Every structure is written in C-alpha cells, then in structure tokens.
Amino acid sequence: MEKKDLRIIFMGTPEFAVGSLQKLVEGGYNVVAVVTQPDKPVGRHQDVLQPSAVKEYALSKEIPVLQPVKMKDEGFVEELKSYHADLQVVVAFRMLPEIVWAMPRFGTFNVHAALLPQYRGAAPINWAVINGEIQTGVTTFFLDKDIDTGRIIAQKTFDIPDTADVEYVYDGLMHLGAEICLETVDKVIATDGNVPSIPQKTSSDLKAAPKIFKETCQINWSLPAKQVYDFVRGLSPYPGAWTTISLTKTESKTNVVLKIFKAEKSKVASQEPEGTIMAHNNNLFISCSDEWLEITELQLAGKKRMQARDFINGMRNIEEYSAK
C-alpha cells in the first residue's frame, strides 16, 4: 500500500493537533476530512465565533471539515461513513463513541502527550510538570472502550528540565507528537493495517491527569517549596497558578487574586507562617512549609503581568499583605 491509497480522517482541535495534521498533509498523506469542535463563541458578548486551530489549517488546505455537536448524531455518523476512511488519527480531541472509533477498517489511533499508562486523562502535560517529573513523552495507541487504555503502538521520550514550564513541554511534545504520528501511519501502511501493539501494563501506582479547573490552580502554601515551585511551572503560562492576598491599608482590608507565573527556589529555610510575604532588596518571597519561595513574575487581578520588583513598588503604601 502507498500513502496516497490510505484514506485518513484526522480528528483534533487545538494548536497541539495542528502539528500532526500539517505533517500529514505536507508529507503527501491522503487526509480526506477533518473532524473538530464546533466554533467557540468569544468576545465580550459571546457573539463572535472562533474556529479551532485545526479548522483554520484544514480550510487553508481545502480539506472538508466536520464539526459535530454530538459524536453519536446519526447525520454526523452517516457523513463520516461517506468518506470511507481506512484509518482515523486523533490528536487532542474528545472521547469517541465506539460507533466512531471502530468505523475504519484499520481502526483509530490516538497521539497522547504522556508515556502511557501514566497520566491518562485530559491534562497530561500539566500534571507531569506539577508532579516534578524529569521525563515525559508521547504515545500512540489504538482506541478502545475506556479512556487512554488501548493497545500501545509506539512511544517517544522527552526530558523535562527543572526550569521548564508547561509552554516549553507543550511545544516539545507537539513536535514529537507529529513525528510519532507519521511514524505510526507509516507502520499502518507497511503492515497493511496489521500494526504490532502491546497491552498497557496494569499498576497500582498510576498517576492520573484529570481536567484542570480554576479551583485546581489555587496554590497551597502549606506544601514544601519544591512542590509549590513545580505547581507554578505546571500551570504557566496558562491557566496560571493563583493565590489570594490580603492587603491592609489604613485599617481597611481587601482580598485580591494574584497569579504567579514564575518562581525560583531560594533554599532558605523559613520560620514564618505559611503564606507570609516578604519583600527584600526588590526581591519577593512567600513562605512555604519549609522554605521561602522567590516569586519573579506575577499578575494582580485587573493588571498586566509584571516583574516582582514592579509589584513591590506598587505595594509601598500597603501596610501589610499576606497570601492564603
């Protein structure tokens, strides 16, 4: 079989998925259609519809785009069947019902941004950094009835520097994911669909990667400084780790949300209560359970992202402030 003979339907939504789709299209693979999320309402009044990054790329290459609200919708399923795909490739998309993932004769494989079976779930990149991992990677696997549990086809590893944030890891895995995507499609072609795969190992110490919500991002200052440091990295630049600071001025107290984007480990022990804020020589520190954590980039609610020294200068007239 040649690549032009393999009919592929690609499914994905964010920028992370565009890298794989672009590699397929520019590599001469036969992508007959793209499935992505419906356009998202944006703007102050939610009256502007924003297409996904995958849709924008697909339209630029004149590839048909399907945007089902419900994956089990009969009209969508029939339209999907009409493309007679041999293979479906999924990158950063939603959960598929069996009627969809079992449709192609060669099945459906997913590119997952972790080394399965570790970090099954919606936010594997964030959680790998939050948990202080020094290595992650990408996995291709065949979809089955459960989330991220199918037979593994291939894996590639990616080192996480101690100073790296999610943006760095995201970019690295996006490119690595595109590579493994093409390699997996080539395996399908070379084996005429009989790709070797292995079942995922079962273990009692698997780490999950659930979806991240606003409340997930609140910093717990009672943790050791290293854990808070990794937590900040794991949520920077988006959605951003946050805390509430209490500001006292002339007997008036207000609580303000503060996002923290960058921090440094001070390795200086703290005897102060957790969440105590200290400014010293234009450097900003917050006390954790064991050490002071230096805060270098942050953003007050309603303000622009700033360096710590600018925050300190703006707090000159504040009598007392603390994090919680």
Side-chain angles (χ1 to χ4, degrees):
M1 179 186 293
E2 297 182 9
K3 63 174 67 173
K4 64 181 178 63
D5 299 319
L6 183 73
R7 296 176 63 83
I8 300 171
I9 286 180
F10 184 90
M11 300 184 181
T13 295
E15 178 191 9
F16 188 90
V18 175
S20 296
L21 176 59
Q22 184 175 1
K23 283 281 190 180
L24 288 169
V25 173
E26 295 181 357
Y29 295 84
N30 187 17
V31 180
V32 296
V34 160
V35 181
T36 190
Q37 294 277 48
D39 294 357
K40 185 178 180 180
V42 295
R44 182 177 228 175
H45 303 292
Q46 299 285 286
D47 54 354
V48 177
L49 293 178
Q50 175 66 46
S52 71
V54 164
K55 179 181 178 178
E56 288 183 333
Y57 178 80
L59 292 180
S60 74
K61 298 300 180 180
E62 299 183 338
I63 301 172
V65 175
L66 286 66
Q67 296 179 273
V69 175
K70 296 181 179 179
M71 299 299 291
K72 291 183 179 181
D73 179 79
E74 290 183 9
F76 164 69
V77 172
E78 288 305 312
E79 187 175 11
L80 198 64
K81 286 179 180 177
S82 71
Y83 286 98
H84 303 290
D86 301 302
L87 177 72
Q88 289 175 159
V89 177
V90 180
V91 183
F93 197 50
R94 59 210 280 192
M95 185 176 179
L96 304 182
E98 184 173 0
I99 193 172
V100 172
W101 59 256
M103 189 180 296
R105 62 178 178 137
F106 295 151
T108 300
F109 78 78
N110 181 279
V111 178
H112 187 73
L115 298 174
L116 292 174
Q118 295 290 357
Y119 295 106
R120 293 170 178 159
I125 304 176
N126 298 91
W127 286 107
V129 181
I130 288 172
N131 289 335
E133 302 288 359
I134 61 173
Q135 188 178 75
T136 183
V138 288
T139 302
T140 52
F141 68 97
F142 285 115
L143 293 191
D144 63 13
K145 294 180 180 179
D146 297 313
I147 299 177
D148 300 336
T149 60
R151 295 178 65 87
I152 292 175
I153 304 167
Q155 292 186 317
K156 284 179 175 286
T157 59
F158 181 85
D159 292 336
I160 306 176
D162 183 59
T163 56
D165 59 17
V166 158
E167 186 172 42
Y168 173 88
V169 183
Y170 181 99
D171 290 343
L173 293 186
M174 179 171 63
H175 295 297
L176 197 64
E179 290 179 13
I180 201 171
C181 177
L182 260 64
E183 292 175 8
T184 302
V185 172
D186 286 341
K187 287 182 180 181
V188 172
I189 294 171
T191 62
D192 198 28
N194 297 308
V195 181
S197 60
I198 59 173
Q200 293 189 33
K201 296 179 180 178
T202 57
S203 175
S204 59
D205 61 350
L206 295 182
K207 298 175 183 177
K211 187 175 181 179
I212 289 175
F213 299 94
K214 180 181 178 181
E215 56 269 24
T216 312
C217 304
Q218 184 173 12
I219 298 170
N220 179 1
W221 296 107
S222 66
L223 294 173
K226 173 62 166 66
Q227 286 184 241
V228 178
Y229 170 75
D230 291 335
F231 189 78
V232 170
R233 293 191 302 130
L235 296 168
S236 180
Y238 182 83
W242 63 272
T243 188
T244 299
I245 60 172
S246 178
L247 307 178
T248 302
K249 180 182 178 182
T250 60
E251 299 183 355
S252 175
K253 182 176 287 188
T254 57
N255 292 326
V256 182
V257 171
L258 181 75
K259 279 192 174 183
I260 298 176
F261 295 100
K262 287 190 181 296
E264 298 287 346
K265 291 171 289 184
S266 72
K267 297 184 180 179
V268 176
S270 171
Q271 304 299 323
E272 297 295 328
E274 295 140 1
T276 299
I277 300 177
M278 176 180 70
H280 179 68
N281 293 334
N282 279 331
N283 295 320
L284 184 69
F285 302 87
I286 301 182
S287 178
C288 301
S289 66
D290 57 349
E291 298 173 349
W292 290 98
L293 185 71
E294 182 178 359
I295 311 303
T296 58
E297 287 188 32
L298 63 165
Q299 181 182 23
L300 275 170
K303 304 291 184 179
K304 293 182 179 179
R305 183 169 168 172
M306 68 183 79
Q307 298 295 314
R309 62 178 177 272
D310 297 321
F311 171 81
I312 294 170
N313 289 334
M315 294 292 110
R316 295 296 186 193
N317 61 343
I318 302 297
E319 298 168 6
E320 180 184 346
Y321 48 96
S322 61
K324 60 181 179 179

